[in-house]
Amino acid sequence: MEKLVSSWSKNKPLPESYIFPPETRPGNLIVPTCKTIPVIDLCNAEGRNRTDIVQQILKASQEYGFFQVVNHGISENLMNESMDVFNELFEMPDEDKVILYSEDPKKSCRLLTSSLNYDREKVHQWRDNLRHPCHPLQDCIKHWPQKPIRYREVVAALSIEAKKLGLRILELVSEGLGLESGYFGDQLSEALHLFVNHYPPCPDPSLTLGITKHCDPNLLTILHQGDVHGLQIFNNEEWIGVEPLPNAFVVNIGNQLQIISNNKLKSGEHRVVTNSRVARTTAAFFIAPSEDSIIEPAISLVGEASVYRAFEYKDFLLDYLSHMGNNEVVLGRFESQSLNNGTPVNALLIQRGSKFELSRLDHGPDYPSRLKGTLE
Ligand code: OGA
Ligand code: NI
């Protein structure tokens, strides 16, 4: 509990344990404001503007893996009320927050700080985080916070709307990819998790991060980032800031959507920077496959070659957690060409004319220790 940034950080200097190494710290970098991700108006998405909107979503998902949506149908009132409730939660006195705080990974609803890895990580992230599942609502709502008093009512309403919006966007994505209607329905989008992130004002934003560079592991993320800057995406080797727009949601493609689209869409890498003036609170809804879903590229998108092999979503999550932040390595482990699932192999390749022999020197359990063949 004393670890929560919101509980100890007021008027304190930045502790050493929050200082990132020079190569990952944000520095005094001014991110370009002329570049930003597309803003897509969902007004009439089910009517005369549909084809145009589908194309805009597809293009943004290919280029950035990120876009914002406006006129999405979720009321301004509900968005504001939810943000008020989330802010109130982090402003509660410590005796109320201590009830939610837990280091037990089995607890489905809990308040924590930095990451799941607090005790093992080299540097801590400048954020507190409340997380819980939102589906099925009647099972999980009883584990949600009881304070602020309106939390359950308001967040239940928002989570239902966020899921509906997510499914609507997934339907537009499936249309853009030429997949059948409802492709992402059922199992692939069954789960819904909420992260409420809170980044208190930070004494030195140039040295630390709210969240380090990552991709989201799920299918699609719907983020309400409030009205404070902080989210940046990594595109074409540079960081660009995501402008907070009133009543907009930020949408991003998760790893599973990149995989199912056989790399036609990309899961955008992003991070969160802090600021010294105001606290920032955001709410991210993660639409995800159920844990035992089989994930694989859609057959009609495979063409010449399937970039990824089939796997169970829960296996991806395990790898994601152990390689947090290294998107290439995690995706690499699920590529169909990957002989070794990403772990370096100590092997010897001997080629004589068209004959080859590959000997594995470390005799792992999954692969033959020697492979012989003829090159065509
Ligand atoms: C996340 C995330 C962005 C933000 O929770 O995965 O990227 O602005 N959040 O809080
Ligand atoms: Ni994220």
Side-chain angles (χ1 to χ4, degrees):
M1 180 63 198
E2 66 284 357
K3 294 176 184 161
L4 285 180
V5 190
S6 54
S7 298
W8 63 257
S9 64
K10 206 152 183 242
N11 300 324
K12 293 277 188 338
L14 187 72
E16 190 111 8
S17 57
Y18 284 81
I19 301 180
F20 278 78
E23 59 282 10
T24 46
R25 66 175 75 144
N28 291 317
L29 182 81
I30 314 249
V31 296
T33 46
C34 52
K35 290 197 188 134
T36 191
I37 55 170
V39 180
I40 300 179
D41 186 344
L42 291 185
C43 184
N44 265 317
E46 276 69 38
R48 60 192 149 81
N49 297 344
R50 192 169 182 89
T51 324
D52 185 32
I53 291 171
V54 165
Q55 283 321 309
Q56 287 180 42
I57 290 182
L58 205 67
K59 189 156 180 276
S61 308
Q62 285 164 339
E63 272 177 38
Y64 299 95
F66 265 90
F67 52 93
Q68 305 208 54
V69 291
V70 291
N71 289 323
H72 40 64
I74 302 185
S75 80
E76 193 178 325
N77 192 25
L78 180 57
M79 290 178 77
N80 293 339
E81 273 194 303
S82 328
M83 277 326 216
D84 289 348
V85 164
F86 295 141
N87 278 311
E88 274 169 44
L89 184 135
F90 284 98
E91 281 159 12
M92 293 192 308
D94 282 357
E95 64 256 35
D96 288 328
K97 285 196 276 188
V98 77
I99 301 168
L100 304 171
Y101 184 82
S102 169
E103 296 183 7
D104 176 2
K106 287 198 283 298
K107 219 167 160 244
S108 75
C109 173
R110 63 193 180 111
L111 179 60
L112 52 95
T113 190
S114 182
S115 79
L116 291 176
N117 234 352
Y118 186 91
D119 289 327
R120 277 157 292 152
E121 66 199 5
K122 287 203 195 88
V123 186
H124 303 312
Q125 305 175 113
W126 190 267
R127 73 141 177 194
D128 295 336
N129 169 264
L130 173 78
R131 57 181 66 189
H132 60 68
C134 302
H135 183 86
L137 189 56
Q138 63 276 26
D139 295 342
C140 49
I141 195 168
K142 50 181 178 280
H143 303 293
W144 293 5
Q146 283 178 291
K147 270 189 181 176
I149 214 87
R150 301 197 56 211
Y151 187 94
R152 292 184 179 181
E153 177 197 340
V154 173
V155 178
L158 184 67
S159 65
I160 291 167
E161 292 297 313
K163 175 98 185 240
K164 267 203 266 173
L165 174 61
L167 290 178
R168 207 174 142 211
I169 293 169
L170 284 167
E171 191 60 21
L172 295 163
V173 168
S174 68
E175 203 167 309
L177 290 171
L179 299 171
E180 75 220 46
S181 168
Y183 191 93
F184 297 109
D186 302 332
Q187 267 216 314
L188 288 179
S189 57
E190 193 175 296
L192 182 67
H193 295 273
L194 171 62
F195 275 21
V196 187
N197 297 306
H198 180 75
Y199 313 91
C202 171
D204 195 341
S206 71
L207 298 178
T208 193
L209 286 166
I211 309 184
T212 55
K213 182 164 113 177
H214 69 285
C215 279
D216 295 345
N218 52 309
L219 192 65
L220 191 80
T221 304
I222 309 273
L223 173 84
H224 185 5
Q225 67 158 343
D227 52 8
V228 184
H229 280 93
L231 176 62
Q232 299 181 339
I233 71 163
F234 196 60
N235 189 257
N236 285 334
E237 302 302 307
E238 65 174 346
W239 289 104
I240 55 181
V242 179
E243 194 73 24
L245 297 177
N247 305 319
F249 282 99
V250 178
V251 179
N252 63 288
I253 306 296
N255 283 146
Q256 304 318 303
L257 201 43
Q258 171 167 345
I259 292 169
I260 295 168
S261 72
N262 204 33
N263 278 355
K264 301 229 165 11
L265 309 182
K266 80 169 187 197
S267 45
E269 288 183 299
H270 54 287
R271 70 178 183 185
V272 178
V273 297
T274 61
N275 79 82
S276 56
R277 290 167 299 107
V278 279
R280 178 171 185 265
T281 303
T282 67
F285 286 96
F286 300 103
I287 297 179
S290 58
E291 294 215 334
D292 52 4
S293 293
I294 304 287
I295 308 294
E296 59 188 331
I299 293 172
S300 61
L301 301 178
V302 160
E304 295 280 285
S306 176
V307 181
Y308 301 97
R309 62 186 168 86
F311 57 86
E312 269 188 60
Y313 182 53
K314 59 172 169 294
D315 293 335
F316 187 94
L317 282 181
L318 283 177
D319 270 23
Y320 180 87
L321 288 174
S322 57
H323 291 93
M324 189 62 190
N326 200 332
N327 193 49
E328 259 171 53
V329 171
V330 181
L331 285 177
R333 290 176 64 85
F334 295 89
E335 282 176 2
S336 43
Q337 301 304 326
S338 121
L339 175 67
N340 56 350
N341 291 348
T343 352
V345 168
N346 191 5
L348 186 69
L349 177 67
I350 301 169
Q351 190 186 342
R352 288 191 195 86
S354 62
K355 297 258 187 279
F356 76 87
E357 190 175 314
L358 182 69
S359 307
R360 184 163 172 155
L361 305 175
D362 54 355
H363 299 274
D366 300 337
Y367 297 95
S369 57
R370 185 163 297 167
L371 197 71
K372 290 182 184 180
T374 312
L375 296 173
E376 287 182 16

PDB file of all heavy atoms in Angstrom, residues 169-186:
ATOM      1  N   ILE A 169     -16.875  -1.674 -33.945  1.00  0.00           N
ATOM      2  CA  ILE A 169     -15.638  -1.368 -34.675  1.00  0.00           C
ATOM      3  C   ILE A 169     -15.044  -2.647 -35.273  1.00  0.00           C
ATOM      4  O   ILE A 169     -14.579  -2.666 -36.406  1.00  0.00           O
ATOM      5  CB  ILE A 169     -14.633  -0.638 -33.752  1.00  0.00           C
ATOM      6  CG1 ILE A 169     -15.191   0.744 -33.396  1.00  0.00           C
ATOM      7  CG2 ILE A 169     -13.255  -0.524 -34.399  1.00  0.00           C
ATOM      8  CD1 ILE A 169     -14.452   1.476 -32.304  1.00  0.00           C
ATOM      9  N   LEU A 170     -15.115  -3.748 -34.515  1.00  0.00           N
ATOM     10  CA  LEU A 170     -14.585  -5.023 -35.034  1.00  0.00           C
ATOM     11  C   LEU A 170     -15.357  -5.459 -36.278  1.00  0.00           C
ATOM     12  O   LEU A 170     -14.793  -6.061 -37.200  1.00  0.00           O
ATOM     13  CB  LEU A 170     -14.660  -6.107 -33.956  1.00  0.00           C
ATOM     14  CG  LEU A 170     -13.591  -5.987 -32.863  1.00  0.00           C
ATOM     15  CD1 LEU A 170     -13.913  -6.895 -31.679  1.00  0.00           C
ATOM     16  CD2 LEU A 170     -12.201  -6.323 -33.421  1.00  0.00           C
ATOM     17  N   GLU A 171     -16.643  -5.166 -36.291  1.00  0.00           N
ATOM     18  CA  GLU A 171     -17.453  -5.510 -37.459  1.00  0.00           C
ATOM     19  C   GLU A 171     -17.000  -4.692 -38.683  1.00  0.00           C
ATOM     20  O   GLU A 171     -16.882  -5.221 -39.783  1.00  0.00           O
ATOM     21  CB  GLU A 171     -18.925  -5.244 -37.112  1.00  0.00           C
ATOM     22  CG  GLU A 171     -19.942  -5.772 -38.087  1.00  0.00           C
ATOM     23  CD  GLU A 171     -19.913  -7.289 -38.302  1.00  0.00           C
ATOM     24  OE1 GLU A 171     -19.396  -8.023 -37.451  1.00  0.00           O
ATOM     25  OE2 GLU A 171     -20.395  -7.718 -39.362  1.00  0.00           O
ATOM     26  N   LEU A 172     -16.682  -3.422 -38.446  1.00  0.00           N
ATOM     27  CA  LEU A 172     -16.189  -2.575 -39.546  1.00  0.00           C
ATOM     28  C   LEU A 172     -14.819  -3.071 -40.015  1.00  0.00           C
ATOM     29  O   LEU A 172     -14.511  -3.095 -41.204  1.00  0.00           O
ATOM     30  CB  LEU A 172     -16.106  -1.109 -39.099  1.00  0.00           C
ATOM     31  CG  LEU A 172     -17.460  -0.447 -38.769  1.00  0.00           C
ATOM     32  CD1 LEU A 172     -17.273   0.823 -37.955  1.00  0.00           C
ATOM     33  CD2 LEU A 172     -18.240  -0.139 -40.048  1.00  0.00           C
ATOM     34  N   VAL A 173     -13.996  -3.518 -39.047  1.00  0.00           N
ATOM     35  CA  VAL A 173     -12.666  -4.046 -39.392  1.00  0.00           C
ATOM     36  C   VAL A 173     -12.826  -5.320 -40.227  1.00  0.00           C
ATOM     37  O   VAL A 173     -12.156  -5.499 -41.254  1.00  0.00           O
ATOM     38  CB  VAL A 173     -11.843  -4.349 -38.110  1.00  0.00           C
ATOM     39  CG1 VAL A 173     -10.596  -5.162 -38.422  1.00  0.00           C
ATOM     40  CG2 VAL A 173     -11.468  -3.066 -37.387  1.00  0.00           C
ATOM     41  N   SER A 174     -13.736  -6.217 -39.813  1.00  0.00           N
ATOM     42  CA  SER A 174     -13.880  -7.481 -40.534  1.00  0.00           C
ATOM     43  C   SER A 174     -14.365  -7.201 -41.956  1.00  0.00           C
ATOM     44  O   SER A 174     -13.922  -7.848 -42.907  1.00  0.00           O
ATOM     45  CB  SER A 174     -14.784  -8.470 -39.795  1.00  0.00           C
ATOM     46  OG  SER A 174     -16.106  -8.022 -39.784  1.00  0.00           O
ATOM     47  N   GLU A 175     -15.224  -6.215 -42.082  1.00  0.00           N
ATOM     48  CA  GLU A 175     -15.680  -5.851 -43.427  1.00  0.00           C
ATOM     49  C   GLU A 175     -14.511  -5.337 -44.279  1.00  0.00           C
ATOM     50  O   GLU A 175     -14.352  -5.725 -45.429  1.00  0.00           O
ATOM     51  CB  GLU A 175     -16.745  -4.763 -43.291  1.00  0.00           C
ATOM     52  CG  GLU A 175     -17.673  -4.690 -44.467  1.00  0.00           C
ATOM     53  CD  GLU A 175     -18.887  -3.834 -44.125  1.00  0.00           C
ATOM     54  OE1 GLU A 175     -19.525  -4.087 -43.074  1.00  0.00           O
ATOM     55  OE2 GLU A 175     -19.191  -2.911 -44.901  1.00  0.00           O
ATOM     56  N   GLY A 176     -13.677  -4.496 -43.677  1.00  0.00           N
ATOM     57  CA  GLY A 176     -12.523  -3.956 -44.399  1.00  0.00           C
ATOM     58  C   GLY A 176     -11.549  -5.051 -44.821  1.00  0.00           C
ATOM     59  O   GLY A 176     -10.902  -4.965 -45.863  1.00  0.00           O
ATOM     60  N   LEU A 177     -11.442  -6.085 -43.996  1.00  0.00           N
ATOM     61  CA  LEU A 177     -10.506  -7.175 -44.306  1.00  0.00           C
ATOM     62  C   LEU A 177     -11.145  -8.201 -45.251  1.00  0.00           C
ATOM     63  O   LEU A 177     -10.489  -9.154 -45.675  1.00  0.00           O
ATOM     64  CB  LEU A 177     -10.085  -7.893 -43.014  1.00  0.00           C
ATOM     65  CG  LEU A 177      -9.173  -7.121 -42.051  1.00  0.00           C
ATOM     66  CD1 LEU A 177      -9.038  -7.873 -40.730  1.00  0.00           C
ATOM     67  CD2 LEU A 177      -7.792  -6.895 -42.668  1.00  0.00           C
ATOM     68  N   GLY A 178     -12.417  -8.018 -45.530  1.00  0.00           N
ATOM     69  CA  GLY A 178     -13.113  -8.978 -46.397  1.00  0.00           C
ATOM     70  C   GLY A 178     -13.483 -10.266 -45.673  1.00  0.00           C
ATOM     71  O   GLY A 178     -13.666 -11.310 -46.307  1.00  0.00           O
ATOM     72  N   LEU A 179     -13.597 -10.203 -44.355  1.00  0.00           N
ATOM     73  CA  LEU A 179     -13.996 -11.394 -43.582  1.00  0.00           C
ATOM     74  C   LEU A 179     -15.507 -11.403 -43.425  1.00  0.00           C
ATOM     75  O   LEU A 179     -16.162 -10.357 -43.531  1.00  0.00           O
ATOM     76  CB  LEU A 179     -13.336 -11.383 -42.212  1.00  0.00           C
ATOM     77  CG  LEU A 179     -11.811 -11.406 -42.224  1.00  0.00           C
ATOM     78  CD1 LEU A 179     -11.263 -11.179 -40.818  1.00  0.00           C
ATOM     79  CD2 LEU A 179     -11.304 -12.743 -42.765  1.00  0.00           C
ATOM     80  N   GLU A 180     -16.039 -12.581 -43.110  1.00  0.00           N
ATOM     81  CA  GLU A 180     -17.495 -12.648 -42.995  1.00  0.00           C
ATOM     82  C   GLU A 180     -17.980 -11.851 -41.781  1.00  0.00           C
ATOM     83  O   GLU A 180     -17.232 -11.685 -40.804  1.00  0.00           O
ATOM     84  CB  GLU A 180     -17.955 -14.106 -42.910  1.00  0.00           C
ATOM     85  CG  GLU A 180     -17.691 -14.724 -41.566  1.00  0.00           C
ATOM     86  CD  GLU A 180     -17.214 -16.171 -41.658  1.00  0.00           C
ATOM     87  OE1 GLU A 180     -16.327 -16.465 -42.483  1.00  0.00           O
ATOM     88  OE2 GLU A 180     -17.726 -16.976 -40.884  1.00  0.00           O
ATOM     89  N   SER A 181     -19.223 -11.412 -41.870  1.00  0.00           N
ATOM     90  CA  SER A 181     -19.821 -10.649 -40.770  1.00  0.00           C
ATOM     91  C   SER A 181     -19.805 -11.508 -39.503  1.00  0.00           C
ATOM     92  O   SER A 181     -20.057 -12.706 -39.550  1.00  0.00           O
ATOM     93  CB  SER A 181     -21.248 -10.295 -41.180  1.00  0.00           C
ATOM     94  OG  SER A 181     -21.932  -9.825 -40.066  1.00  0.00           O
ATOM     95  N   GLY A 182     -19.455 -10.899 -38.382  1.00  0.00           N
ATOM     96  CA  GLY A 182     -19.435 -11.628 -37.107  1.00  0.00           C
ATOM     97  C   GLY A 182     -18.155 -12.430 -36.889  1.00  0.00           C
ATOM     98  O   GLY A 182     -18.052 -13.178 -35.923  1.00  0.00           O
ATOM     99  N   TYR A 183     -17.155 -12.249 -37.736  1.00  0.00           N
ATOM    100  CA  TYR A 183     -15.917 -13.046 -37.609  1.00  0.00           C
ATOM    101  C   TYR A 183     -15.296 -12.905 -36.217  1.00  0.00           C
ATOM    102  O   TYR A 183     -14.801 -13.868 -35.637  1.00  0.00           O
ATOM    103  CB  TYR A 183     -14.891 -12.608 -38.675  1.00  0.00           C
ATOM    104  CG  TYR A 183     -13.719 -13.552 -38.765  1.00  0.00           C
ATOM    105  CD1 TYR A 183     -13.715 -14.606 -39.672  1.00  0.00           C
ATOM    106  CD2 TYR A 183     -12.624 -13.421 -37.907  1.00  0.00           C
ATOM    107  CE1 TYR A 183     -12.658 -15.502 -39.730  1.00  0.00           C
ATOM    108  CE2 TYR A 183     -11.560 -14.307 -37.955  1.00  0.00           C
ATOM    109  CZ  TYR A 183     -11.595 -15.339 -38.864  1.00  0.00           C
ATOM    110  OH  TYR A 183     -10.551 -16.233 -38.909  1.00  0.00           O
ATOM    111  N   PHE A 184     -15.329 -11.691 -35.679  1.00  0.00           N
ATOM    112  CA  PHE A 184     -14.684 -11.462 -34.373  1.00  0.00           C
ATOM    113  C   PHE A 184     -15.659 -11.600 -33.202  1.00  0.00           C
ATOM    114  O   PHE A 184     -15.318 -11.280 -32.072  1.00  0.00           O
ATOM    115  CB  PHE A 184     -14.027 -10.077 -34.345  1.00  0.00           C
ATOM    116  CG  PHE A 184     -12.921  -9.928 -35.343  1.00  0.00           C
ATOM    117  CD1 PHE A 184     -13.071  -9.119 -36.458  1.00  0.00           C
ATOM    118  CD2 PHE A 184     -11.735 -10.620 -35.181  1.00  0.00           C
ATOM    119  CE1 PHE A 184     -12.057  -8.988 -37.392  1.00  0.00           C
ATOM    120  CE2 PHE A 184     -10.705 -10.504 -36.107  1.00  0.00           C
ATOM    121  CZ  PHE A 184     -10.872  -9.690 -37.214  1.00  0.00           C
ATOM    122  N   GLY A 185     -16.874 -12.050 -33.510  1.00  0.00           N
ATOM    123  CA  GLY A 185     -17.862 -12.211 -32.436  1.00  0.00           C
ATOM    124  C   GLY A 185     -17.529 -13.436 -31.595  1.00  0.00           C
ATOM    125  O   GLY A 185     -16.496 -14.071 -31.770  1.00  0.00           O
ATOM    126  N   ASP A 186     -18.411 -13.769 -30.673  1.00  0.00           N
ATOM    127  CA  ASP A 186     -18.282 -14.949 -29.806  1.00  0.00           C
ATOM    128  C   ASP A 186     -16.950 -15.025 -29.083  1.00  0.00           C
ATOM    129  O   ASP A 186     -16.519 -14.079 -28.468  1.00  0.00           O
ATOM    130  CB  ASP A 186     -18.543 -16.237 -30.608  1.00  0.00           C
ATOM    131  CG  ASP A 186     -19.940 -16.201 -31.235  1.00  0.00           C
ATOM    132  OD1 ASP A 186     -20.814 -15.539 -30.647  1.00  0.00           O
ATOM    133  OD2 ASP A 186     -20.131 -16.813 -32.294  1.00  0.00           O
TER     134      ASP A 186
END
